[in-house]
Amino acid sequence: MVRNSLRRTLALGAAAALFLGATLGALPASAETEPNSDGSGTTASAATFAPTTTDAPAPVESGDPSGTSPGELSAGISADGLQEAILRDLGMTPEEFAAAGEQGKRAADAAASLRDLPGFVGISIKDGKIVVEGSGRELQARIAELNDQGPDEIVLVDPPVASKPADPETSPAGDPPSSPQPTPAPSPSPEGGPDAAPPAPPQEAESALMAASIDQLYQAYVQEVGTSGLQSVAFSDGHFVIRTGGSNSPESSKPARVPSGGPAARGPAAGEIPAGESRAGEAAIGETDSAAKMSPSEFVAKYANVKLEEGEPIAPEDDFFGGQGYFIDRDTVCSAGFSAFSASGEPLVLTAGHCANDGTAQLAEVALPASEPAGGASVPPGITEKLGTFGFSQFGGPNNSWITGNPENPDTMGNIGTDIAVIESVPAALKPQPAATQWGDPSDLGASSVQIVGSTQPFQGQHVCRSGRTSGWSCGTVDEVGIYVMGGHSGHTDDFRAVRGFLSFSVQSSGGDSGGPWISGNFAVGTHTAGDSPGSAQNFAVATTLNDAMTRLPGVQLEVFLSKPVLTSPADGGPVAGGGSITGRVDAAPATSLAANSKVRISVPGQDPFEVPVDMDGTWRFTAPATLGQLNFTAQTVNGFSSSGAAALNVVVESGTLPAPVIDGPSENAVLTSIDEIRGSGTPGATVELSGAVGGSAPVSWTGQWVFPVEGETDFGPAAVTAHQRATGMQDSPPVTRNFTLVPPAPTVTNVQDGQHFAWDAVPPELTGTGLDGALVSVELDGVRLESAVAAKPAVDARDSRAAVVNGVWSVSLPETVTAGAHTLAVTQSMEGVASAEAALTFIVDPKPSVTAVLPADLGDTSGASRAGSTNPASSDWLARTGAYGIWLVTGIGGSVLLLGSIALLTVRRRRARR
């Protein structure tokens, strides 16, 4: 029953749901430990691990004597290392790699506007094009709009239906899921054997269901098959892939030598499988949990667009620039991912969540780069300084929960999370950089680094590179995105964690690379989570999707690379006329683009700093002051808490004619009921003189803004204000004029509310309200002006039907007879011949109730009328609002009661007389 219900639910969902290609999952990595080179397992001497100064540069404002900053990382950087690595791994030039990153960002932006449209299935990058899989007019129209707005590079293709082999379990190990090769089904092993796999059931000629999304397929698999042996649920090349191959577990190992006080090296860590041995409890493809409802083969056979493939067991690699190694409690090692800021602006380092060992890890210390495998391991392992302490971490679901939920609630199934951790309390002397090192020179990691200017989503076909302390720098492409499953830290047989991420079959990785950055061009894509087991026939690497992980870190900002501002006009030290434009530029290089929404902060001695926007082409500008002579200032590019180094600049301000000021408020020809200020922009240091309807002066601040408060009353009617600038040693500016009209505010009506209902005889005799003293109030009822005014109006012409406002109050009479139905009121007041805006409202008069007279049959009704009485609504229409209608009605009823009482009394008396 449950299976049939779920089958129907999935069939309906597959027909209506949209595949969300950017909803991805990733797996955790592990810390690395290695045996000592001499096999002794002894610890290194304290001298070996003496702290050294960090290679990370520091910004000018910190007081660091080196005077370096994130904005100066590009100084002296050689592109040789980057060019060699990208050419080797991707066959691309650095420019082509950067352009590919930009294309990946455009694909991410396109997906955001496509994924909710009917017919959308997925998105990928193939042969230099952004390929959208799906169909439908809305999808086609939106793609046409996107191509019109930018490069014509988005193409729409029909999603292919997977062509499945007779036995979907037999894709050979080592073949990427993107191109499985059908092979004969393996012979089943003896029952109970470790390699036992039941033969696949005959596949239907045409499967009944179509999977619609990674999440839907994942949830259904966990419910119907279980978690044993599940490695991933992903989307690639128009179809879904369920990959199984064993119970994944962390791959931990010890460094060759650990710092003084740390534990000695041990043998194989938990999760490692010595050569020739198999993983206890590992399920072969096609096998299932004992409590499962069906096998993986049976599950996949239900779907026309799902394949089942056997993969290598995913082994987490728990092992500072991004990709630099660090020790965890002097026991294990991982790699740093990206630098970031807390909600209060404190520096942070992002890394893999499983490196925090389910929240038990405390201290993180920077590893000596030359001692790392990626740095050549030319010296014994060492620590240079403290990196920080672990804060928030999540490996799997919230609170490091398993796929099945918290152990206390095993009924919760299908829990999907992430793999992210935060290292906080970073020492002030250590400056995390928004860049990923390529490990070109372990003595200068910044010389071969790639700057980060933002983040983007991963897509199949996207060019990516990864950095880590073990395998160094490696590049490839994203082959799939999905949900990836691996074993947790508890050692419990049910402890499996699921995270969103992406996988590459071409990127190289190893133990200790966990937490390291994955980038596309200059955009952050993910943090390293997992990879294949040592000695595996098939290579792959898995990363956690960064954008998804950041949703678990509210208020945290990714640090971005920003170059120092430079002057372009005038040149540094050159002349500029007061009121002229000081213009500069922020270069993107060595990145390919600027971080969005960047600004330049200008600081002038003795003034508050102010910020000006940076255009998309990197241009920034502000107005030269009216103060003559040399102007010294500093300029710094900022973006949230990210900042470049500060550039010390100067110009010489010369005399000239001031430009006309700008009046920003009020707007031209505005109609106002009051005015509190006149405001605008001008030349810093000048004074704006105002005349006309408002007179006075206002100084222009260093932000270029001026405000003149308007106090006291102003005349109603058309008005004009003229402004010009003046400053010592400068010629006055031309004037500028702003026109506007001041009108009284609309009066208020106090005894009738908009939409109010009145009984037919309860309409108020007059209308009352408030207004400006001395104003004349005009009232229209249903478009007709009311002529009678209720109020002594000695200052008003007796023939004027308007009411005067006295002591803030006015009133006019309403007609004695107001018919039933809806009525509109329009009320205005005039001052100095200027009419206000209109106060409009509606009220409703309810109709009079009908009168029904009930007469006894023996009272002489000889007219032939109904004995039940008659109704004549017109008979009472003439009644005025005096309440008489109610009196007549009560009197009539009372008389009838008295008459009936008299008749009853006479009848009783007659009966008594007869007795």
Side-chain angles (χ1 to χ4, degrees):
M1 180 70 72
V2 173
R3 185 182 305 175
N4 291 336
S5 175
L6 181 60
R7 192 187 298 265
R8 288 192 297 269
T9 301
L10 292 176
L12 292 173
L18 303 176
F19 171 68
L20 304 180
T23 306
L24 314 173
L27 306 178
S30 61
E32 179 184 5
T33 55
E34 305 168 358
N36 290 349
S37 58
D38 58 2
S40 65
T42 58
T43 60
S45 66
T48 303
F49 309 102
T52 62
T53 55
T54 178
D55 293 326
V60 169
E61 62 271 21
S62 69
D64 182 3
S66 67
T68 56
S69 70
E72 296 171 311
L73 289 176
S74 60
I77 290 181
S78 170
D80 293 345
L82 175 63
Q83 182 172 352
E84 179 183 352
I86 294 176
L87 183 62
R88 179 195 67 223
D89 295 335
L90 297 175
M92 304 173 73
T93 65
E95 291 77 17
E96 289 171 333
F97 178 66
E102 293 290 337
Q103 186 180 54
K105 182 65 167 60
R106 290 193 296 273
D109 294 340
S113 66
L114 296 174
R115 64 167 58 96
D116 291 331
L117 296 180
F120 177 83
V121 173
I123 190 169
S124 61
I125 298 176
K126 297 178 182 178
D127 301 326
K129 294 289 187 180
I130 299 174
V131 180
V132 178
E133 295 175 5
S135 60
R137 293 182 179 179
E138 289 186 53
L139 195 62
Q140 192 170 22
R142 180 54 185 152
I143 290 175
E145 290 179 9
L146 293 173
N147 282 329
D148 288 341
Q149 296 169 7
D152 187 7
E153 60 181 350
I154 307 177
V155 295
L156 178 64
V157 300
D158 292 331
V161 174
S163 176
K164 303 198 295 185
D167 184 351
E169 301 171 0
T170 57
S171 176
D175 285 351
S178 57
S179 56
Q181 301 295 321
T183 60
S187 300
S189 300
E191 184 176 357
D195 298 322
Q203 186 165 338
E204 301 174 6
E206 188 173 341
S207 300
L209 300 178
M210 291 285 289
S213 72
I214 293 172
D215 286 51
Q216 174 220 52
L217 191 62
Y218 168 82
Q219 297 287 354
Y221 187 93
V222 170
Q223 289 285 348
E224 298 196 35
V225 180
T227 59
S228 178
L230 176 62
Q231 286 184 244
S232 62
V233 179
F235 181 84
S236 178
D237 290 333
H239 62 268
F240 296 88
V241 176
I242 293 178
R243 187 174 299 111
T244 65
S247 302
N248 305 313
S249 58
E251 181 185 67
S252 301
S253 56
K254 293 295 176 183
R257 301 175 66 188
V258 293
S260 178
R266 297 193 290 266
E272 260 186 289
I273 304 177
E277 296 185 16
S278 62
R279 217 180 277 271
E282 184 172 293
I285 188 167
E287 290 187 325
T288 182
D289 296 337
S290 58
K293 304 176 183 68
M294 63 176 64
S295 70
S297 302
E298 292 172 318
F299 178 85
V300 170
K302 300 190 303 178
Y303 295 88
N305 60 339
V306 181
K307 291 182 178 181
L308 179 64
E309 295 181 352
E310 182 176 9
E312 293 286 342
I314 295 177
E317 299 164 1
D318 267 333
D319 290 285
F320 157 124
F321 294 88
Q324 192 168 345
Y326 66 93
F327 282 90
I328 305 165
D329 294 330
R330 301 201 173 188
D331 178 52
T332 52
V333 286
C334 276
S335 298
F338 300 98
S339 58
F341 295 98
S342 70
S344 60
E346 298 300 318
L348 306 171
V349 173
L350 305 181
T351 188
H354 66 266
C355 292
N357 196 23
D358 283 354
T360 62
Q362 298 180 8
L363 179 65
E365 297 172 290
V366 180
L368 180 66
S371 69
E372 302 281 52
S378 57
V379 298
I383 289 173
T384 64
E385 60 202 301
K386 175 183 176 181
L387 175 57
T389 56
F390 280 91
F392 174 88
S393 67
Q394 181 175 333
F395 173 28
N399 300 313
N400 305 300
S401 54
W402 309 349
I403 291 177
T404 54
N406 291 317
E408 300 80 19
N409 186 16
D411 295 331
T412 305
M413 296 293 287
N415 191 14
I416 309 171
T418 189
D419 186 21
I420 195 72
V422 171
I423 298 175
E424 56 192 15
S425 301
V426 178
L430 189 62
K431 304 297 178 185
Q433 302 298 317
T437 182
Q438 301 171 62
W439 288 96
D441 181 357
S443 66
D444 185 6
L445 296 179
S448 60
S449 62
V450 179
Q451 284 71 20
I452 307 301
V453 299
S455 64
T456 188
Q457 287 289 116
F459 291 97
Q460 182 190 353
Q462 186 177 27
H463 294 287
V464 290
C465 290
R466 180 208 52 74
S467 178
R469 49 83 61 190
T470 305
S471 301
W473 183 260
S474 178
C475 300
T477 57
V478 174
D479 291 299
E480 63 183 35
V481 295
I483 301 166
Y484 296 88
V485 179
M486 66 184 348
H489 292 295
S490 70
H492 194 283
T493 55
D494 292 332
D495 183 2
F496 292 94
R497 318 285 177 95
V499 299
R500 299 189 185 278
F502 54 98
L503 177 147
S504 172
F505 291 108
S506 48
V507 171
Q508 306 294 316
S509 65
S510 189
D513 288 332
S514 282
W518 284 63
I519 65 173
S520 179
N522 296 102
F523 295 93
V525 183
T527 53
H528 188 64
T529 289
D532 56 282
S533 299
S536 297
Q538 183 180 38
N539 171 81
F540 62 85
V542 179
T544 299
T545 303
L546 182 64
N547 282 355
D548 177 70
M550 292 290 284
T551 63
R552 277 74 168 184
L553 306 174
V556 171
Q557 298 179 11
L558 185 70
E559 185 177 9
V560 295
F561 167 78
L562 299 167
S563 293
K564 280 184 180 181
V566 297
L567 271 178
T568 56
S569 178
D572 193 16
V576 61
S581 181
I582 299 175
T583 306
R585 180 177 180 80
V586 175
D587 290 322
T592 59
S593 62
L594 291 170
N597 304 315
S598 295
K599 298 179 180 181
V600 170
R601 180 178 296 151
I602 307 297
S603 299
V604 177
Q607 306 293 334
D608 292 333
F610 59 94
E611 295 178 355
V612 296
V614 179
D615 298 339
M616 291 299 294
D617 64 356
T619 301
W620 56 273
R621 58 181 60 83
F622 71 100
T623 303
T627 305
L628 305 183
Q630 183 165 307
L631 172 65
N632 299 312
F633 63 96
T634 60
Q636 183 179 35
T637 313
V638 296
N639 191 301
F641 293 119
S642 301
S643 63
S644 73
L649 306 170
N650 74 85
V651 296
V652 178
V653 181
E654 297 180 338
S655 179
T657 300
L658 289 168
V662 174
I663 301 177
D664 296 322
S667 59
E668 181 68 12
N669 297 322
V671 177
L672 311 171
T673 58
S674 64
I675 185 166
D676 299 321
E677 63 182 27
I678 308 290
R679 55 183 172 79
S681 58
T683 302
T687 298
V688 173
E689 302 285 350
L690 300 175
S691 60
V694 176
S697 62
V700 183
S701 71
W702 272 90
T703 63
Q705 305 301 307
W706 57 270
V707 177
F708 180 80
V710 178
E711 299 176 351
E713 297 182 356
T714 55
D715 295 335
F716 291 108
V721 171
T722 298
H724 71 274
Q725 293 190 102
R726 61 175 45 179
T728 302
M730 302 285 290
Q731 296 184 27
D732 288 0
S733 76
V736 61
T737 300
R738 178 57 47 90
N739 300 287
F740 59 93
T741 300
L742 195 62
V743 300
T748 62
V749 179
T750 55
N751 67 329
V752 175
Q753 306 299 316
D754 189 32
Q756 186 174 358
H757 282 253
F758 293 98
W760 72 273
D761 59 348
V763 178
E766 63 184 28
L767 200 65
T768 61
T770 62
L772 298 176
D773 274 347
L776 297 178
V777 176
S778 175
V779 179
E780 290 186 357
L781 176 64
D782 298 330
V784 178
R785 179 179 290 185
L786 299 182
E787 297 295 334
S788 58
V790 181
K793 300 184 294 181
V796 181
D797 191 311
R799 294 167 297 180
D800 197 329
S801 63
R802 295 177 295 178
V805 180
V806 180
N807 295 325
V809 178
W810 59 270
S811 64
V812 298
S813 297
L814 286 172
E816 289 190 1
T817 302
V818 181
T819 59
H823 300 274
T824 60
L825 286 171
V827 187
T828 60
Q829 63 176 335
S830 297
M831 287 285 289
E832 304 166 8
V834 179
S836 72
E838 185 178 85
L841 54 87
T842 300
F843 67 91
I844 297 115
V845 178
D846 296 330
K848 294 175 291 185
S850 301
V851 179
T852 302
V854 181
L855 301 177
D858 59 351
L859 289 185
D861 181 8
T862 60
S863 64
S866 171
R867 291 289 186 258
S870 63
T871 300
N872 185 9
S875 64
S876 58
D877 281 349
W878 60 270
L879 292 176
R881 293 193 313 273
T882 61
Y885 178 86
I887 294 174
W888 279 104
L889 180 61
V890 173
T891 301
I893 295 173
S896 299
V897 171
L898 288 174
L899 179 60
L900 291 173
S902 298
I903 294 173
L905 182 59
L906 290 172
T907 302
V908 171
R909 286 178 176 176
R910 288 174 182 173
R911 289 177 179 176
R912 287 178 178 176
R914 290 175 181 173
R915 290 177 183 176

